[in-house]
Amino acid sequence: MINIDIGATAVAVLTLFGIYSLMAISLNLEYGVAGVPNFGKALFVSIGAYTAGITYTRLLPLLAGDIAIHPCGPTMGDALQLRSEIMASQPAAGFVNLGLTFIIAAVAAGAVGFAASYVTLRLKEEWFLALVLLVGGETVRILVRGADDFICSHNGISGVAQPFYFIQDPRTSALFFMLLALTLALLAYLYSQRLLHSPYGRMLKGLRENEDITRGLGKGVSLARAQIMAVGSVIAAIGGVLFALNTGFVNTNDFVVTLTLDVWVMVVLGGIGNNRGALLGALLIALMDRFTQIGAIALNMSGSEIEFNYVRFIAFGLILLWMLRYRPQGLLPESRLTTGAHAVVKREIGALQ
Amino acid sequence: MTPLLKLHNLRKDYGGLRAVDDVSLAVPEGAIIGLIGPNGSGKSTLINLICGSTDLTSGRVVYDGDDISGMRPDEIFQLGIARGYQEPSLYFKMTALDNALLPVKNQRGEKPWYAPLWRSWQNEEAQHAKAARDALEQVQLLQQYDRLASDLSGGQMKLLEIARALMGQPKLLLLDEPTAGVAPTLAYEIFQQIARLRDDHGITFLIVEHRLEILFDFADYVYVMHLGKLLAQGSVDEIASHARVREVYFGD
């Protein structure tokens, strides 16, 4: 029998929920609303994580008034110790570093998202874009992995501490980090709701439903698509920064295609085109993640030979199939667009009668 | 008077097939021009060439004195050329009102940086909503403003398509079989609407139509296409009595 610390588990699940929510909202804006099938979600998440890997090793020591030590190779241990000490003793440097990390990650991912959409613009079928991003994500991952000095190849970078690491009590510091993740997720949700229920959201939905007609009605379709890719990529990269901080570790192994598929499961499960659905999907997957981990430990301790992590993959596959077959609109179907126009017309008609 | 739209020797090849062959025609401002011809004679391709949704092989499209050949469909729409489609081509998952609002030009809330700032575009949206209300009323669809486009009847879909095109404030409206799949009485009403739009708003029409008995009641001038070429042109009376036209069209 294993003891489960309910409080700590709840904090862990909710932190994960916040991080997953950012990823799911980003994909929902791109695919759910605008119909751009971004199968390179792991790439944009990884841009956030790699940025964190770089700022924590190069920028943080400078902000703390120290000299940066090369994070890879023989000085690896010293560099790790330096950044751990800074994060434990100089919270201000940690927060400034994190703020800059968010900004750099957002700019980098936004630019890549915008460019990726523009480059693949000439490929008429948007599913080519999906393939390009899928392959591109994996290619970038392998290139980063191959670079010895970037984030230290296959060793990765550890000691990417969350900003509340300076708080002595680990439960309190985890609680604050959870609040940070949930706050950012909430902001992303409110922003995406505003974006969806606007003339811009209407154009994106039009683009999703019929690209040719939308172009024929005077809309710069390619630009709109690149813009929403940029917005989605910024949100995904912020999720990526938190993802790295949550594990305290940046490693290319975390950004394989499976991560992309996880985000897709969240959106399909929750409801394509519905931001609340994206949140629900993120919550369900965060819960499943935690409980498969607990299940894996329990199984392992009971001497079973079943590898529980594979059970997770099988379960995800089954969920996806079941949803697509029996409830393609997701748990929370798409809601109607509200820009205020219907209320205006309703009032006008009412005034006549 | 210079024509609003002038086509100079338009040609479109699909591999070995010449879908449109050396077509030149003129559409005077404020006119209702009919474009007729048997199936496969190149009428729809010609519409696509004018709107930029199909690339020209050669020739020039001159609109309002400017050469617009090679421009993108969205740019051409912005200049004032709107179109209807042969198949019902609405946003079926949106309401009639949202369908009408989408093509409004230069919407502030359509910019991603303004979109989340509700206050910055709310008043403008209300103005557009009132304009859309008028456009829907003009085609007698006001009561359906809140319904999904997929719930409308075939005739209503055609009318909504016209209302939607009007929201872009076009000077020239290209319609590809506006009465296809519509009951005969409603088909006549659609053309009455077209005539009213021309009279009240000065909109020019180029209309591909198979229902000649209705078209001939409203058209000012008619072009006939056959196998990609222009076969004949003239007033309704001239075309109706044109021997060659009767031969290819009615098999007389």
Side-chain angles (χ1 to χ4, degrees), chain A residues 191 194-195 197-200 202 205-206 209 213-220 227 336 339 341-342 345-346 348-349 352, chain B residues 73-74 77-78 85 89 91-95 97-98 101-102 104 107 109-110 112 115-116 121 125 129-130 133 145-146 164:
Chain A
Y191 174 78
R194 287 291 188 93
L195 209 57
H197 294 290
S198 75
Y200 182 59
R202 181 166 58 215
K205 284 192 171 195
E209 204 177 319
I213 292 175
T214 308
R215 191 177 279 124
L217 289 173
K219 305 303 173 191
Q227 284 166 342
R336 265 181 48 179
T339 59
H342 287 82
V345 173
K346 192 174 184 184
E348 293 246 315
I349 292 178
L352 288 176
Chain B
D74 52 306
F77 181 87
Q78 296 287 346
Y85 296 81
S89 302
Y91 299 109
F92 293 109
K93 291 176 185 163
M94 292 189 199
T95 61
L97 183 65
D98 278 327
L101 284 168
L102 196 137
V104 175
Q107 297 184 48
E110 232 171 43
W121 49 263
E125 177 80 357
K130 284 174 188 161
R133 191 204 79 99
Y145 81 99
D146 208 15
R164 183 179 68 178

Short mmCIF file of all heavy atoms in Angstrom, two decimals, chain A residues 191 194-195 197-200 202 205-206 209 213-220 227 336 339 341-342 345-346 348-349 352, chain B residues 73-74 77-78 85 89 91-95 97-98 101-102 104 107 109-110 112 115-116 121 125 129-130 133 145-146 164:
data_model
loop_
_atom_site.label_atom_id
_atom_site.label_comp_id
_atom_site.label_asym_id
_atom_site.label_seq_id
_atom_site.Cartn_x
_atom_site.Cartn_y
_atom_site.Cartn_z
N TYR A 191 -8.15 35.96 -22.45
CA TYR A 191 -7.71 36.55 -23.71
C TYR A 191 -8.30 35.80 -24.90
O TYR A 191 -8.81 36.41 -25.85
CB TYR A 191 -6.18 36.53 -23.77
CG TYR A 191 -5.61 36.98 -25.09
CD1 TYR A 191 -5.54 38.33 -25.40
CD2 TYR A 191 -5.15 36.05 -26.02
CE1 TYR A 191 -5.02 38.74 -26.61
CE2 TYR A 191 -4.64 36.46 -27.23
CZ TYR A 191 -4.57 37.80 -27.52
OH TYR A 191 -4.07 38.20 -28.73
N ARG A 194 -11.97 36.51 -25.44
CA ARG A 194 -12.17 37.81 -26.07
C ARG A 194 -11.88 37.74 -27.57
O ARG A 194 -12.60 38.31 -28.38
CB ARG A 194 -11.25 38.85 -25.42
CG ARG A 194 -11.67 39.29 -24.04
CD ARG A 194 -12.95 40.09 -24.13
NE ARG A 194 -13.31 40.71 -22.87
CZ ARG A 194 -12.95 41.95 -22.53
NH1 ARG A 194 -12.19 42.66 -23.32
NH2 ARG A 194 -13.34 42.46 -21.39
N LEU A 195 -10.80 37.05 -27.87
CA LEU A 195 -10.38 36.93 -29.27
C LEU A 195 -11.43 36.17 -30.09
O LEU A 195 -11.75 36.53 -31.22
CB LEU A 195 -9.05 36.19 -29.32
CG LEU A 195 -8.09 36.49 -30.46
CD1 LEU A 195 -7.74 37.95 -30.49
CD2 LEU A 195 -6.84 35.66 -30.30
N HIS A 197 -14.72 35.76 -29.44
CA HIS A 197 -16.00 36.46 -29.61
C HIS A 197 -15.78 37.88 -30.10
O HIS A 197 -16.12 38.85 -29.43
CB HIS A 197 -16.78 36.44 -28.30
CG HIS A 197 -17.20 35.05 -27.92
ND1 HIS A 197 -18.16 34.36 -28.60
CD2 HIS A 197 -16.74 34.21 -26.97
CE1 HIS A 197 -18.31 33.16 -28.07
NE2 HIS A 197 -17.44 33.04 -27.09
N SER A 198 -15.18 37.98 -31.26
CA SER A 198 -14.89 39.29 -31.86
C SER A 198 -14.99 39.13 -33.37
O SER A 198 -15.06 38.01 -33.87
CB SER A 198 -13.46 39.71 -31.49
OG SER A 198 -12.53 38.98 -32.27
N PRO A 199 -15.00 40.23 -34.10
CA PRO A 199 -14.97 40.11 -35.56
C PRO A 199 -13.78 39.29 -36.06
O PRO A 199 -13.89 38.57 -37.05
CB PRO A 199 -14.88 41.56 -36.02
CG PRO A 199 -15.57 42.33 -34.94
CD PRO A 199 -15.20 41.64 -33.67
N TYR A 200 -12.67 39.38 -35.33
CA TYR A 200 -11.51 38.57 -35.73
C TYR A 200 -11.83 37.08 -35.58
O TYR A 200 -11.53 36.28 -36.47
CB TYR A 200 -10.31 38.95 -34.85
CG TYR A 200 -9.01 38.22 -35.18
CD1 TYR A 200 -8.45 38.31 -36.44
CD2 TYR A 200 -8.38 37.44 -34.22
CE1 TYR A 200 -7.27 37.65 -36.73
CE2 TYR A 200 -7.19 36.79 -34.50
CZ TYR A 200 -6.64 36.89 -35.77
OH TYR A 200 -5.47 36.24 -36.05
N ARG A 202 -14.72 35.79 -35.76
CA ARG A 202 -15.68 35.46 -36.82
C ARG A 202 -14.94 35.17 -38.13
O ARG A 202 -15.25 34.21 -38.83
CB ARG A 202 -16.65 36.64 -37.00
CG ARG A 202 -17.70 36.43 -38.05
CD ARG A 202 -18.78 37.47 -37.93
NE ARG A 202 -18.26 38.83 -38.04
CZ ARG A 202 -18.73 39.87 -37.36
NH1 ARG A 202 -19.74 39.73 -36.54
NH2 ARG A 202 -18.20 41.07 -37.52
N LYS A 205 -13.28 31.79 -37.89
CA LYS A 205 -14.24 30.70 -38.07
C LYS A 205 -14.64 30.57 -39.53
O LYS A 205 -14.86 29.47 -40.03
CB LYS A 205 -15.48 30.94 -37.20
CG LYS A 205 -15.24 30.64 -35.74
CD LYS A 205 -16.56 30.60 -34.99
CE LYS A 205 -16.34 30.08 -33.59
NZ LYS A 205 -17.59 29.69 -32.95
N GLY A 206 -14.75 31.71 -40.20
CA GLY A 206 -15.04 31.69 -41.63
C GLY A 206 -13.92 31.01 -42.40
O GLY A 206 -14.17 30.20 -43.29
N GLU A 209 -14.20 27.35 -41.95
CA GLU A 209 -15.29 26.70 -42.65
C GLU A 209 -15.09 26.70 -44.16
O GLU A 209 -15.40 25.72 -44.83
CB GLU A 209 -16.63 27.36 -42.30
CG GLU A 209 -17.79 26.42 -42.50
CD GLU A 209 -19.12 27.01 -42.10
OE1 GLU A 209 -19.19 27.70 -41.06
OE2 GLU A 209 -20.10 26.77 -42.82
N ILE A 213 -14.04 30.98 -49.97
CA ILE A 213 -15.07 32.01 -49.89
C ILE A 213 -14.60 33.18 -49.05
O ILE A 213 -14.84 34.34 -49.37
CB ILE A 213 -16.37 31.41 -49.31
CG1 ILE A 213 -16.96 30.42 -50.31
CG2 ILE A 213 -17.37 32.49 -48.99
CD1 ILE A 213 -18.16 29.70 -49.80
N THR A 214 -13.88 32.87 -47.97
CA THR A 214 -13.41 33.94 -47.10
C THR A 214 -12.44 34.84 -47.85
O THR A 214 -12.48 36.06 -47.71
CB THR A 214 -12.73 33.33 -45.86
OG1 THR A 214 -13.63 32.39 -45.28
CG2 THR A 214 -12.41 34.40 -44.83
N ARG A 215 -11.61 34.24 -48.68
CA ARG A 215 -10.71 35.05 -49.51
C ARG A 215 -11.52 35.87 -50.51
O ARG A 215 -11.26 37.05 -50.70
CB ARG A 215 -9.73 34.13 -50.24
CG ARG A 215 -8.60 34.90 -50.90
CD ARG A 215 -7.60 33.99 -51.56
NE ARG A 215 -6.65 33.44 -50.62
CZ ARG A 215 -6.42 32.15 -50.43
NH1 ARG A 215 -7.08 31.26 -51.14
NH2 ARG A 215 -5.53 31.75 -49.56
N GLY A 216 -12.54 35.22 -51.07
CA GLY A 216 -13.40 35.91 -52.03
C GLY A 216 -14.19 37.04 -51.40
O GLY A 216 -14.69 37.92 -52.11
N LEU A 217 -14.33 37.03 -50.09
CA LEU A 217 -15.04 38.11 -49.41
C LEU A 217 -14.06 39.15 -48.87
O LEU A 217 -14.37 39.89 -47.94
CB LEU A 217 -15.91 37.56 -48.28
CG LEU A 217 -17.15 36.77 -48.77
CD1 LEU A 217 -17.85 36.10 -47.60
CD2 LEU A 217 -18.12 37.67 -49.51
N GLY A 218 -12.87 39.16 -49.43
CA GLY A 218 -11.97 40.28 -49.18
C GLY A 218 -11.05 40.13 -47.99
O GLY A 218 -10.45 41.11 -47.56
N LYS A 219 -10.95 38.91 -47.44
CA LYS A 219 -10.12 38.76 -46.26
C LYS A 219 -8.73 38.26 -46.62
O LYS A 219 -8.58 37.33 -47.42
CB LYS A 219 -10.77 37.77 -45.27
CG LYS A 219 -12.19 38.13 -44.89
CD LYS A 219 -12.29 39.53 -44.29
CE LYS A 219 -13.74 39.92 -44.08
NZ LYS A 219 -13.89 41.34 -43.76
N GLY A 220 -7.73 38.86 -46.02
CA GLY A 220 -6.36 38.40 -46.20
C GLY A 220 -6.13 37.15 -45.38
O GLY A 220 -5.70 37.19 -44.25
N GLN A 227 -1.15 35.19 -38.22
CA GLN A 227 -1.35 35.90 -36.95
C GLN A 227 -1.80 34.95 -35.84
O GLN A 227 -1.28 34.99 -34.72
CB GLN A 227 -2.40 37.01 -37.12
CG GLN A 227 -1.88 38.22 -37.85
CD GLN A 227 -3.01 39.13 -38.31
OE1 GLN A 227 -4.17 38.72 -38.39
NE2 GLN A 227 -2.68 40.37 -38.63
N ARG A 336 -21.96 29.43 -29.60
CA ARG A 336 -22.15 30.40 -30.68
C ARG A 336 -21.34 31.65 -30.47
O ARG A 336 -21.03 32.03 -29.35
CB ARG A 336 -23.63 30.73 -30.81
CG ARG A 336 -24.29 29.88 -31.87
CD ARG A 336 -25.72 30.21 -32.02
NE ARG A 336 -25.99 31.64 -32.13
CZ ARG A 336 -27.21 32.13 -32.28
NH1 ARG A 336 -28.23 31.31 -32.34
NH2 ARG A 336 -27.39 33.43 -32.38
N THR A 339 -20.71 38.66 -30.64
CA THR A 339 -19.97 39.90 -30.76
C THR A 339 -20.83 41.07 -30.31
O THR A 339 -20.38 42.20 -30.35
CB THR A 339 -19.57 40.16 -32.23
OG1 THR A 339 -20.77 40.21 -33.00
CG2 THR A 339 -18.67 39.07 -32.75
N ALA A 341 -23.60 41.76 -31.91
CA ALA A 341 -24.40 42.15 -33.08
C ALA A 341 -25.82 41.60 -32.99
O ALA A 341 -26.79 42.29 -33.33
CB ALA A 341 -23.72 41.66 -34.35
N HIS A 342 -25.95 40.36 -32.52
CA HIS A 342 -27.29 39.76 -32.45
C HIS A 342 -28.18 40.53 -31.49
O HIS A 342 -29.37 40.72 -31.75
CB HIS A 342 -27.20 38.29 -32.04
CG HIS A 342 -26.66 37.42 -33.14
ND1 HIS A 342 -25.31 37.29 -33.37
CD2 HIS A 342 -27.28 36.67 -34.08
CE1 HIS A 342 -25.13 36.49 -34.41
NE2 HIS A 342 -26.30 36.10 -34.86
N VAL A 345 -29.50 43.68 -33.25
CA VAL A 345 -30.57 43.42 -34.21
C VAL A 345 -31.84 43.02 -33.46
O VAL A 345 -32.94 43.45 -33.81
CB VAL A 345 -30.15 42.34 -35.22
CG1 VAL A 345 -31.33 41.94 -36.10
CG2 VAL A 345 -29.01 42.85 -36.07
N LYS A 346 -31.68 42.24 -32.41
CA LYS A 346 -32.84 41.82 -31.63
C LYS A 346 -33.56 43.04 -31.05
O LYS A 346 -34.78 43.14 -31.09
CB LYS A 346 -32.39 40.88 -30.50
CG LYS A 346 -33.54 40.18 -29.81
CD LYS A 346 -33.03 39.17 -28.82
CE LYS A 346 -34.21 38.41 -28.22
NZ LYS A 346 -33.78 37.50 -27.18
N GLU A 348 -33.44 46.10 -32.21
CA GLU A 348 -34.04 46.86 -33.31
C GLU A 348 -35.37 46.26 -33.74
O GLU A 348 -36.33 46.98 -33.97
CB GLU A 348 -33.08 46.88 -34.50
CG GLU A 348 -31.81 47.65 -34.23
CD GLU A 348 -31.74 48.89 -35.09
OE1 GLU A 348 -32.03 48.77 -36.29
OE2 GLU A 348 -31.42 49.96 -34.56
N ILE A 349 -35.39 44.93 -33.84
CA ILE A 349 -36.63 44.27 -34.26
C ILE A 349 -37.69 44.46 -33.18
O ILE A 349 -38.85 44.75 -33.46
CB ILE A 349 -36.39 42.77 -34.51
CG1 ILE A 349 -35.50 42.59 -35.73
CG2 ILE A 349 -37.71 42.05 -34.73
CD1 ILE A 349 -35.17 41.16 -36.05
N LEU A 352 -39.45 47.71 -33.30
CA LEU A 352 -40.42 47.85 -34.38
C LEU A 352 -41.77 47.26 -34.01
O LEU A 352 -42.80 47.72 -34.45
CB LEU A 352 -39.90 47.15 -35.65
CG LEU A 352 -38.74 47.83 -36.37
CD1 LEU A 352 -38.28 46.99 -37.55
CD2 LEU A 352 -39.17 49.21 -36.85
N PRO B 73 -7.98 37.37 -55.02
CA PRO B 73 -9.43 37.52 -54.85
C PRO B 73 -9.80 38.53 -53.76
O PRO B 73 -10.74 39.29 -53.91
CB PRO B 73 -9.90 36.12 -54.45
CG PRO B 73 -8.86 35.20 -54.95
CD PRO B 73 -7.58 35.95 -54.96
N ASP B 74 -9.04 38.54 -52.65
CA ASP B 74 -9.40 39.47 -51.57
C ASP B 74 -9.15 40.92 -51.98
O ASP B 74 -9.91 41.81 -51.62
CB ASP B 74 -8.66 39.12 -50.26
CG ASP B 74 -7.16 39.00 -50.44
OD1 ASP B 74 -6.74 38.23 -51.32
OD2 ASP B 74 -6.42 39.68 -49.72
N PHE B 77 -12.04 41.90 -54.29
CA PHE B 77 -13.25 42.18 -53.51
C PHE B 77 -13.18 43.58 -52.90
O PHE B 77 -14.15 44.32 -52.88
CB PHE B 77 -13.42 41.13 -52.41
CG PHE B 77 -14.65 41.32 -51.57
CD1 PHE B 77 -15.86 40.77 -51.95
CD2 PHE B 77 -14.59 42.03 -50.38
CE1 PHE B 77 -16.99 40.94 -51.18
CE2 PHE B 77 -15.71 42.22 -49.60
CZ PHE B 77 -16.92 41.66 -49.99
N GLN B 78 -11.99 43.91 -52.39
CA GLN B 78 -11.82 45.22 -51.76
C GLN B 78 -12.07 46.35 -52.76
O GLN B 78 -12.50 47.44 -52.39
CB GLN B 78 -10.41 45.37 -51.17
CG GLN B 78 -10.08 44.42 -50.04
CD GLN B 78 -10.79 44.77 -48.74
OE1 GLN B 78 -11.33 45.85 -48.59
NE2 GLN B 78 -10.82 43.84 -47.79
N TYR B 85 -22.05 32.30 -55.72
CA TYR B 85 -21.57 31.02 -56.25
C TYR B 85 -22.72 30.17 -56.76
O TYR B 85 -23.87 30.34 -56.36
CB TYR B 85 -20.82 30.25 -55.16
CG TYR B 85 -19.57 30.95 -54.68
CD1 TYR B 85 -19.66 31.99 -53.75
CD2 TYR B 85 -18.32 30.59 -55.15
CE1 TYR B 85 -18.52 32.63 -53.30
CE2 TYR B 85 -17.18 31.23 -54.71
CZ TYR B 85 -17.28 32.26 -53.79
OH TYR B 85 -16.15 32.89 -53.35
N SER B 89 -23.01 28.71 -51.04
CA SER B 89 -21.67 28.82 -50.45
C SER B 89 -21.69 29.78 -49.27
O SER B 89 -21.03 30.79 -49.28
CB SER B 89 -20.68 29.31 -51.50
OG SER B 89 -20.67 28.43 -52.57
N TYR B 91 -21.55 30.36 -44.90
CA TYR B 91 -20.94 29.77 -43.71
C TYR B 91 -22.08 29.09 -42.96
O TYR B 91 -22.81 29.72 -42.20
CB TYR B 91 -20.28 30.84 -42.85
CG TYR B 91 -19.18 31.58 -43.56
CD1 TYR B 91 -19.34 32.89 -43.96
CD2 TYR B 91 -17.98 30.95 -43.82
CE1 TYR B 91 -18.33 33.56 -44.62
CE2 TYR B 91 -16.95 31.61 -44.47
CZ TYR B 91 -17.13 32.91 -44.87
OH TYR B 91 -16.12 33.56 -45.52
N PHE B 92 -22.23 27.79 -43.20
CA PHE B 92 -23.43 27.11 -42.73
C PHE B 92 -23.49 26.98 -41.21
O PHE B 92 -24.55 26.78 -40.65
CB PHE B 92 -23.54 25.73 -43.39
CG PHE B 92 -23.78 25.83 -44.86
CD1 PHE B 92 -22.79 25.50 -45.77
CD2 PHE B 92 -25.00 26.29 -45.35
CE1 PHE B 92 -23.00 25.62 -47.13
CE2 PHE B 92 -25.23 26.42 -46.70
CZ PHE B 92 -24.22 26.08 -47.59
N LYS B 93 -22.35 27.06 -40.56
CA LYS B 93 -22.36 26.93 -39.11
C LYS B 93 -22.51 28.28 -38.41
O LYS B 93 -22.43 28.36 -37.19
CB LYS B 93 -21.07 26.25 -38.64
CG LYS B 93 -21.00 24.78 -39.04
CD LYS B 93 -19.69 24.17 -38.64
CE LYS B 93 -19.57 22.76 -39.15
NZ LYS B 93 -18.16 22.32 -39.11
N MET B 94 -22.70 29.33 -39.20
CA MET B 94 -22.93 30.65 -38.59
C MET B 94 -24.36 31.07 -38.84
O MET B 94 -25.02 30.58 -39.75
CB MET B 94 -22.00 31.69 -39.23
CG MET B 94 -20.54 31.50 -38.93
SD MET B 94 -19.65 32.94 -39.54
CE MET B 94 -18.01 32.28 -39.60
N THR B 95 -24.81 32.05 -38.06
CA THR B 95 -26.15 32.58 -38.26
C THR B 95 -26.18 33.43 -39.53
O THR B 95 -25.13 33.83 -40.05
CB THR B 95 -26.58 33.47 -37.09
OG1 THR B 95 -25.68 34.56 -37.01
CG2 THR B 95 -26.57 32.70 -35.77
N LEU B 97 -27.04 36.44 -39.68
CA LEU B 97 -26.45 37.75 -39.36
C LEU B 97 -24.92 37.71 -39.42
O LEU B 97 -24.30 38.60 -40.00
CB LEU B 97 -26.91 38.20 -37.97
CG LEU B 97 -26.42 39.58 -37.54
CD1 LEU B 97 -27.00 40.67 -38.42
CD2 LEU B 97 -26.75 39.84 -36.08
N ASP B 98 -24.33 36.68 -38.85
CA ASP B 98 -22.87 36.58 -38.88
C ASP B 98 -22.37 36.43 -40.32
O ASP B 98 -21.32 36.96 -40.68
CB ASP B 98 -22.38 35.41 -38.03
CG ASP B 98 -22.30 35.78 -36.55
OD1 ASP B 98 -22.00 36.95 -36.26
OD2 ASP B 98 -22.55 34.91 -35.70
N LEU B 101 -22.27 39.82 -41.68
CA LEU B 101 -21.29 40.73 -41.07
C LEU B 101 -19.86 40.43 -41.50
O LEU B 101 -19.02 41.32 -41.52
CB LEU B 101 -21.39 40.64 -39.55
CG LEU B 101 -22.59 41.36 -38.94
CD1 LEU B 101 -22.75 40.98 -37.48
CD2 LEU B 101 -22.42 42.87 -39.07
N LEU B 102 -19.60 39.19 -41.84
CA LEU B 102 -18.21 38.81 -42.11
C LEU B 102 -17.55 39.65 -43.22
O LEU B 102 -16.42 40.08 -43.05
CB LEU B 102 -18.13 37.32 -42.40
CG LEU B 102 -16.72 36.76 -42.30
CD1 LEU B 102 -16.69 35.44 -41.57
CD2 LEU B 102 -16.09 36.62 -43.67
N VAL B 104 -17.88 42.68 -44.20
CA VAL B 104 -17.73 44.13 -44.03
C VAL B 104 -16.24 44.48 -44.06
O VAL B 104 -15.42 43.82 -43.42
CB VAL B 104 -18.35 44.59 -42.70
CG1 VAL B 104 -18.08 46.07 -42.48
CG2 VAL B 104 -19.84 44.30 -42.69
N GLN B 107 -12.86 46.20 -40.82
CA GLN B 107 -13.40 46.13 -39.47
C GLN B 107 -12.27 46.25 -38.47
O GLN B 107 -11.28 45.54 -38.57
CB GLN B 107 -14.13 44.80 -39.25
CG GLN B 107 -15.31 44.60 -40.15
CD GLN B 107 -16.05 43.31 -39.85
OE1 GLN B 107 -16.36 43.01 -38.71
NE2 GLN B 107 -16.32 42.53 -40.87
N GLY B 109 -12.35 45.44 -35.30
CA GLY B 109 -12.28 44.24 -34.46
C GLY B 109 -11.72 43.03 -35.18
O GLY B 109 -11.62 41.96 -34.60
N GLU B 110 -11.40 43.20 -36.45
CA GLU B 110 -10.84 42.09 -37.19
C GLU B 110 -9.33 42.06 -37.07
O GLU B 110 -8.67 41.13 -37.51
CB GLU B 110 -11.22 42.23 -38.67
CG GLU B 110 -11.84 41.00 -39.24
CD GLU B 110 -12.40 41.26 -40.61
OE1 GLU B 110 -11.73 41.94 -41.42
OE2 GLU B 110 -13.51 40.78 -40.88
N PRO B 112 -6.13 41.48 -34.87
CA PRO B 112 -5.95 40.70 -33.64
C PRO B 112 -5.56 41.54 -32.44
O PRO B 112 -5.82 41.14 -31.31
CB PRO B 112 -4.85 39.70 -34.00
CG PRO B 112 -4.27 40.15 -35.28
CD PRO B 112 -5.27 41.02 -35.97
N ALA B 115 -8.99 43.07 -31.37
CA ALA B 115 -10.06 42.11 -31.10
C ALA B 115 -10.33 41.87 -29.61
O ALA B 115 -11.49 41.86 -29.18
CB ALA B 115 -9.77 40.80 -31.82
N PRO B 116 -9.29 41.69 -28.77
CA PRO B 116 -9.60 41.44 -27.36
C PRO B 116 -10.11 42.69 -26.63
O PRO B 116 -10.67 42.58 -25.55
CB PRO B 116 -8.26 41.01 -26.76
CG PRO B 116 -7.35 40.78 -27.92
CD PRO B 116 -7.85 41.62 -29.03
N TRP B 121 -14.09 48.20 -30.52
CA TRP B 121 -14.83 47.94 -31.76
C TRP B 121 -16.33 47.75 -31.55
O TRP B 121 -17.08 47.56 -32.51
CB TRP B 121 -14.27 46.72 -32.49
CG TRP B 121 -14.08 45.50 -31.64
CD1 TRP B 121 -12.92 45.09 -31.07
CD2 TRP B 121 -15.07 44.52 -31.28
NE1 TRP B 121 -13.11 43.93 -30.35
CE2 TRP B 121 -14.42 43.56 -30.47
CE3 TRP B 121 -16.42 44.36 -31.55
CZ2 TRP B 121 -15.08 42.46 -29.92
CZ3 TRP B 121 -17.09 43.27 -31.01
CH2 TRP B 121 -16.43 42.34 -30.21
N GLU B 125 -19.19 47.70 -34.42
CA GLU B 125 -19.92 46.45 -34.66
C GLU B 125 -21.44 46.69 -34.63
O GLU B 125 -22.17 46.14 -35.44
CB GLU B 125 -19.51 45.40 -33.60
CG GLU B 125 -20.25 44.07 -33.70
CD GLU B 125 -19.71 43.15 -34.77
OE1 GLU B 125 -18.79 43.54 -35.52
OE2 GLU B 125 -20.25 42.02 -34.88
N ALA B 129 -24.00 45.98 -37.51
CA ALA B 129 -25.18 45.14 -37.26
C ALA B 129 -26.42 45.80 -37.83
O ALA B 129 -27.28 45.14 -38.42
CB ALA B 129 -25.33 44.88 -35.76
N LYS B 130 -26.49 47.12 -37.70
CA LYS B 130 -27.66 47.83 -38.26
C LYS B 130 -27.65 47.78 -39.78
O LYS B 130 -28.70 47.60 -40.41
CB LYS B 130 -27.67 49.28 -37.77
CG LYS B 130 -28.13 49.36 -36.33
CD LYS B 130 -28.02 50.77 -35.78
CE LYS B 130 -28.31 50.74 -34.28
NZ LYS B 130 -27.81 51.94 -33.60
N ARG B 133 -28.74 44.40 -40.71
CA ARG B 133 -30.18 44.32 -40.53
C ARG B 133 -30.89 44.84 -41.78
O ARG B 133 -31.81 44.21 -42.30
CB ARG B 133 -30.58 45.16 -39.31
CG ARG B 133 -31.99 44.98 -38.83
CD ARG B 133 -32.41 46.22 -38.08
NE ARG B 133 -32.77 47.27 -39.02
CZ ARG B 133 -34.03 47.54 -39.35
NH1 ARG B 133 -35.01 46.90 -38.77
NH2 ARG B 133 -34.30 48.47 -40.23
N TYR B 145 -32.61 36.24 -39.01
CA TYR B 145 -31.25 36.71 -38.71
C TYR B 145 -30.51 35.82 -37.73
O TYR B 145 -29.30 35.66 -37.79
CB TYR B 145 -31.30 38.15 -38.16
CG TYR B 145 -31.64 38.25 -36.69
CD1 TYR B 145 -30.64 38.41 -35.73
CD2 TYR B 145 -32.95 38.16 -36.25
CE1 TYR B 145 -30.95 38.48 -34.38
CE2 TYR B 145 -33.27 38.24 -34.91
CZ TYR B 145 -32.27 38.39 -33.98
OH TYR B 145 -32.57 38.45 -32.65
N ASP B 146 -31.27 35.18 -36.83
CA ASP B 146 -30.67 34.42 -35.74
C ASP B 146 -30.52 32.94 -36.08
O ASP B 146 -30.02 32.17 -35.27
CB ASP B 146 -31.58 34.56 -34.52
CG ASP B 146 -30.80 34.45 -33.24
OD1 ASP B 146 -29.56 34.55 -33.30
OD2 ASP B 146 -31.43 34.25 -32.19
N ARG B 164 -25.15 39.04 -48.28
CA ARG B 164 -23.79 39.00 -47.77
C ARG B 164 -22.84 39.76 -48.71
O ARG B 164 -22.01 40.54 -48.26
CB ARG B 164 -23.34 37.53 -47.65
CG ARG B 164 -21.96 37.37 -47.08
CD ARG B 164 -21.57 35.92 -46.96
NE ARG B 164 -21.40 35.30 -48.26
CZ ARG B 164 -21.03 34.04 -48.45
NH1 ARG B 164 -20.82 33.26 -47.40
NH2 ARG B 164 -20.89 33.56 -49.65
#
